[in-house]
Each structure stands twice: as C-alpha cells, then as structure tokens.
Amino acid sequence: MLWFHNARLIDPEQGGDKIGSLLVRDGQIMEHDGPCPEAAEAIDCHGKCLAPGIVDMGVQVGEPGAQHKESLRTAGLAAARGGVTTIVMRPDTDPAIDTPEVLEYVTRRAQARTPVHIRAMAALTRGRAGREMAEIGFLLDAGAVAFTDGDRVVTDTKLLSRCMSYARGLGALIIGHPQDAGLAAGACASSGKFASLKGLPAVSPMAERMGLDRDMGLVEMTGVRYHADQITTARSLPALQRAKRNGLDVTAGISIHHLMLNEFDVGDYRTFFKFTPPLRSEDDRRAMVQAVAEGVIDVICSMHTPQDEESKRLPFEEAAPGAVGLETLLPAAMRLYHSEGLSLPQIWRALALNPAQRLGLPAGRLSSGAPADLVLFDPDAPFILDRFKLQSKSKNTPFDEARMQGRVLASYVAGACVYAREQEDA
Amino acid sequence: MRGRMEFSQNHLLGIEPLRPAEITTILDLAEEYVALNRSSEKHATVLEGMTQINMFFESSTRTQASFELAGKRLGADVMNMSMAHSSLKKGETLIDTALTLNAMHPDLLVVRHASSGAVNLLAEKVNCAVLNAGDGKHEHPTQALLDALTIRRKKGRLHRLVVAICGDIAHSRVARSNLILLGKMENRIRLIGPPTLMPKGVEEFGVEVYDDMRAGLEGADVVMMLRLQRERMDGGFVPSEREYFHRYGLDAEKLAHAKEDAIVMHPGPMNRGVEIDGAIADDINRSVIQEQVEMGVAVRMAAMDLLARNLRRARERARLREAADG
C-alpha cells in the first residue's frame, strides 16, 4: 500500500489541479480521505505533480527486426524514465505485426523485459503492403488494440473500405495516416519558400487534407471507429471538425514534435528534424496548439521512431525520418504549459486519458478503481538535454542541447515504482 | 588587388552565406585571372603545394574541366575522382568516402552531388576548404559568380539591371544561386516559366513571376536561359518539347521584347531547339555563352585562391596557438 501526500494531483477526468493525497492498494487507486492508513508506506511528494502515467499511442520498437535501434527492454526503460506507463506499439516491425503469432511473440517478450505496460497495434493489411486484409478478428482476440499500416497509406480505396467495413463488424479501431500518397511521393519537406530555397523535394500541406477527406468519406460510408495518427496542418482542421460534428466516430492525434517545432528548425539540413509528415510552418504549428487546447485534436504522442546514427548521417533527402520521443515527450509537453497557456489537466487529457479511452484501456485516470499507473514530476525543473544520456538505444532527438523544463521524478506501474530519479542521480 | 580584401569564408557552399562585399571581392580578383588566362604565360603559383580533389558524384564534363583547369593554372596538384561509378555503389556512405579522402590531406575539395545539402554535410566532416560544384536543386555558386562576372563586364555594372531568368526554375540550382546573388546586388529579377516548373513560395523571394514569356522579357537587360533538365524530370511537367519551345523557347521574335542591347546567357549544355534557337545562341552580338565559359575558369581560380588564403591563415593561427600552448 502506498500513500502519496502533499501532491499536486493532476486529474484529467475531473479537470482537477490541486494539492491532495492518493492511496494505492493492490495496484489500484483507492477512494480515500484522511490520514495515512497504518499499513501504508507514506510518500511525501513535496508539492510536486502526480498525474496518470502517459499512454503513448504509436511507439516504434525495433523488436523484432531492428533491435540495434531499439529493443523492447530499452524502450521500456526509456518509457519508465519518461513517465510513459503504457507503450502502444506500432506494427511497423520486421516482420510486421500482422499475424496473431507475431503479436503473441511480442507480447510475451515484452512482459518479461519491460517494466511498463506494452500494448500492440496490428497491421491493417498483410505485411503492411496494402494488398490483402490482415486477420483482424484473430489479432483482436490476441490483444491488438488498433489496426494500422503506420505511415504507409493504403492507396487502394476498395481494399480500405473493405477493411473498414470488416473492422466495424468487430468494433475494431482503425488508425489512418492521412496523406495523399501521390502528392507526397519523394517529398521530405513542406512546400514553400524554405523548401524551395534549400532545394528539397516538398509536398503541399494540402496532401494531408486530401488524405483526411478521403478517409472521412470512407468512415462515413462504413461507420468504422477511426483515429488519424497525425494531423499537422491548419487546412485539415475544418474537415476534422466537420466529421466530428456530423457524428462520425473520429479522433485525431499529433506528435509532440509537430507541436513544438517548425520547418525552419531544419536549418542547415539537420536530419534529426526530418519527420513524416514533414515539419510545417509556424502558422500551422500554432493552429495545432490551439486545436489541442480546444480538444479538436485529442491525442499527443511521441511518435517514437528510433534511428541509428548511420540512418541519419546522410544527405537530408536520403536520411531516415523520425525521432525518439519517449523520454522527451513530458518535458517537451511542458512547453505547452509554460509557454502556450494550456493547463496541466488539459495536457494530460491528450497525453493519457484520451488515448486510453480511445484504445479501451482503463488507464489515464486518477479516480478510484483506476490502475495505479502514475508519474510524479516537477513541471518547473530546468535542464539541458544531452542526447547521449537517453536510455533509448538510438539517440536521434531534435531536442539535443535544448533548454527544457519539466523532469520526471518517479514512475509507477500498477503501484510499483519502475523509475526513481533519486536512484539515477545517486 | 593588393591590400586587405573582404572575404572571410572557409568554404564556398552557396551564394546565400556571402555578403555583397565578398561577392565583389571574388569578381575583382577574377578580373585579374581573366587577364592572366588571356596571356601566353597562363600560370600562377598561389596554390603551389596544395592538393585539390574534384569529387563528382554526378557526371559532369564542363564544370569538372573548368575546376581542373583553374586548379592547374594556379599550381595545385589536381586529382579527379569520378564518383558516379565508384564505391558509393559498393555501399560506402558519403561520410565514409569523405573521411577516406580527408585522410589524404587535401586542401581543396570540389564536390558535386545529386542531393541538396550533401555538400554542406561533407564540409562538416573534413578539415579543408570545400567548394560546392552543384548540390541537388540547392545551389551552384560558381555558376552564379561567373554569370555575375559576365554581366558586369558586358553591362558595366551589377546592380539595377532587369534580369529575366527563363525555363525550368524548379529543378535548377543555377537559378537559385543566381536569383540569390542578383537579389543581393539589388537587381530586378523576373522568373519566366510554366507554373509546373516554378518552385512553391517563389513570390516571397522578392522576384516577379511571369508565365507569359513576352511580357516577362519586356525591357530586360539580361536574358538568362536555363536548360530544360530532362534527366531530372519525373515526367509530365510540360506536354512536349515542341510546345515548350513554342511558348518558352528563345527566338528572335520573343527576344525583340527585351532591350535592344540585351545579352543572352545560358549555363550550358544547350538543347538547341528546345529552350533556345540555334541562331540566337550563335549571334555574337547578343549571345555571351562562350564568354561565360571563359569567366568560369577565372571565377573558380579566384574562389580557390581566396579560400586557400583563408585556409593558410587558419592553419598558421592554429600552429601559433599550438606553439604557445606547448
């Protein structure tokens, strides 16, 4: 039994942000008022924040296939250190998680190796090749929380509509990557003055809107539950709002990088700033922050994509996209609190409550009966990020040497401490 | 050209980092080399003892020959490496190739690469002066400098001119470097081409954009034609060569809209009958295409000379520092 007291409790469900105490028994949060029960271990939080652990929707783990970039073990350690208590793994492994066998293999290995929860998404089509439907029913039974081909767009609309119809019958969630594949082919930047000056092949932000429009049409046709993995441009927002208003079961996410960085950060061809979709204009970035504040965008995730040095030490066009994010998600998100005027409960809705609810997980809450997946953090603690101190095997973060504010002090999974900053410092 | 000249660059990666005074420095020094190149004793010694490596990841005849000649006339030991068919095909990365070459202690590295920014990446990893001989769709600084020198000699100045750049702007590093340079020197720039060959956001560069060639050429002092880079086309940017020539090929009728004494430029190699009429290319009263080639050698000599001076100075400083520390 644990009794957290003198804690600034961040409750995304109730919108609460006040000093209080919290009791944990048998891995669950308990209803409790008053002093410390006798049998409980008291933890003085010194007024620091205690919030539900982050549910990171869309993490790439290199296992199986690319353990040299990230393994289940290192991803788990990184997550614990970053206050992520549930990793929602992307199926873009090699082989892809497209059969119940691969899913079981991953789940079994994860249980033995990672201190945090790992839930896997499964591929929507076999081998993520966009040609035949994966075994959605079997995969759902084996524990898949959602179905997606990652950043590969299923271009065959007939196949996608069948996948959606089939998934609807099972109540499964489909995660799309809204992008017009034709327009986006070969692009590594957002079109505009910057890309033209740098001579980089670029794609118009309109390609995202067109992809979203197509997907919304199919969702309306099939009635499937749908989540857009990343909405990154202002042009997509009206289409998203319209779909929600019309009662479609649609949600959307964004990576923390698209909320914090813009196209100019690429600067002199810095490949750690190469993402799919590419970084957008400052106008777009600000519109996205606004959309998160208003709840039009539901989920913030890290889009953790480990890449080794060799994949990044290439000319910009040839370099691999993506960045690690498990350990930088929380401090980066604190910028929303310090600089963009969002409240902590607002941020935690997007980091924990909404993704958990969308995926049907009990986490993301502080109410009685919820699993005691918690993160204790200091929202103000300043530091300069050193990428070589990250737990992730890969060190490709755009926040290297960035001044950040907000540190995780401890993480708890089902009431057990899986990371404590004190021990690391000691 | 004696005395302190303004030039504080360690590499020539693009026109963008250059200040107008530095551009003028290069052009002034290049004038001296034009004179040298026209004399019978075409030899200087400013690069003596230095090693120049030409690394061309994209095949090139003209630019490579020009750099080679420039280096040799300045007394450097010049080595050509045609990388288009070499170890990169065996899986070696660009950086490893750079490190391998770096171990041979070159002083000047001339690089052409198909990816934008590749030369910048290389420059970070080697400790010699790097010259960009064209990277992807990004920059081709020596081409813009030789164009500037040609214009300055023909027009007597390099400011307040109306310069029309016509053709495949989107895929052209020559166009990018030129419009940056001519903008820095305060000229009026017009870009002419079909919308499919115009880069996005180009209006924000402070240029005027035309898709009607006659309107764009009206009153121009300089007409700069670009090659329609067929090898870079993904296909389908223009309907056909003959339609392109009809609308954007430079012929006498269209050229009549420019100023009477307008000069015609082309970076070469030309596609006669695609972007330029053969008769205009050969018209010695209008076309300065041959002079551009001549200026190319002189400008490259000037750029390498200036970089070598800075390199020697930097090495001397490092040596003194070491001596002081030791």
Side-chain angles (χ1 to χ4, degrees), chain A residues 172-190:
Chain A
L173 177 70
I174 283 185
I175 299 182
H177 180 72
Q179 193 71 221
D180 185 275
L183 279 180
C188 62
S190 297

Side-chain angles (χ1 to χ4, degrees), chain A residues 240 287 312:
Chain A
L240 182 62
K312 285 286 187 182

Side-chain angles (χ1 to χ4, degrees), chain B residues 18-147:
Chain B
L18 298 181
R19 283 173 289 120
E22 292 177 318
I23 294 169
T24 307
T25 301
I26 300 175
L27 299 185
D28 289 348
L29 183 58
E31 288 282 8
E32 292 188 6
Y33 286 122
V34 173
L36 179 79
N37 288 340
R38 285 183 180 178
S39 71
S40 52
E41 191 60 44
K42 302 179 187 53
H43 206 74
T45 54
V46 296
L47 294 187
E48 212 151 66
M50 288 198 156
T51 303
Q52 172 193 343
I53 300 182
N54 296 336
M55 245 171 124
F56 280 65
F57 292 92
E58 255 185 358
S59 53
S60 152
T61 313
R62 308 156 61 96
T63 307
Q64 186 170 332
S66 182
F67 268 110
E68 183 177 353
L69 199 54
K72 283 183 171 160
R73 284 188 180 162
L74 292 178
D77 297 314
V78 185
M79 181 169 88
N80 284 316
M81 297 188 72
S82 166
M83 309 299 292
H85 314 283
S86 84
S87 41
L88 272 211
K89 291 257 160 71
K90 296 176 201 154
E92 189 178 63
T93 66
L94 177 61
I95 302 243
D96 286 333
T97 309
L99 293 178
T100 305
L101 276 183
N102 197 44
M104 300 178 193
H105 297 292
D107 303 286
L108 294 154
L109 204 52
V110 179
V111 186
R112 170 171 287 190
H113 197 280
S115 293
S116 303
V119 183
N120 299 47
L121 180 67
L122 251 167
E124 285 171 21
K125 307 291 172 191
V126 296
N127 37 25
C128 63
V130 177
L131 289 101
N132 182 357
D135 63 324
K137 297 183 283 177
H138 179 217
E139 283 227 46
H140 189 355
T142 54
Q143 178 71 41
L145 287 164
L146 74 88
D147 288 342

Side-chain angles (χ1 to χ4, degrees), chain A residues 191-202 204 268-269 310 312-318, chain B residues 16 93-96 113-118 120-121 135 137-138 176 180 199-201 204-205:
Chain A
S191 61
K193 185 187 176 190
F194 181 78
S196 290
L197 253 187
K198 293 290 175 188
L200 293 173
S204 166
D268 210 1
Y269 303 100
E310 296 313 313
K312 285 286 187 182
R313 275 176 27 162
L314 291 169
F316 196 84
E317 281 171 59
E318 296 157 33
Chain B
E16 213 188 346
T93 66
L94 177 61
I95 302 243
D96 286 333
H113 197 280
S115 293
S116 303
N120 299 47
L121 180 67
D135 63 324
K137 297 183 283 177
H138 179 217
R176 256 170 210 74
I180 296 169
K200 292 286 173 296
E204 295 171 49
F205 293 177

Side-chain angles (χ1 to χ4, degrees), chain B residues 168-216:
Chain B
D168 183 2
I169 316 280
H171 295 91
S172 173
R173 52 197 174 211
V174 175
R176 256 170 210 74
S177 286
N178 259 313
L179 71 88
I180 296 169
L181 189 151
L182 293 167
K184 277 186 200 266
M185 306 313 269
E186 303 187 0
N187 294 282
R188 207 167 141 192
I189 302 162
R190 297 178 181 168
L191 301 182
I192 305 170
T196 45
L197 297 178
M198 224 24 103
K200 292 286 173 296
V202 75
E203 317 75 30
E204 295 171 49
F205 293 177
V207 299
E208 299 159 54
V209 179
Y210 290 87
D211 54 11
D212 176 355
M213 189 160 182
R214 288 174 184 85

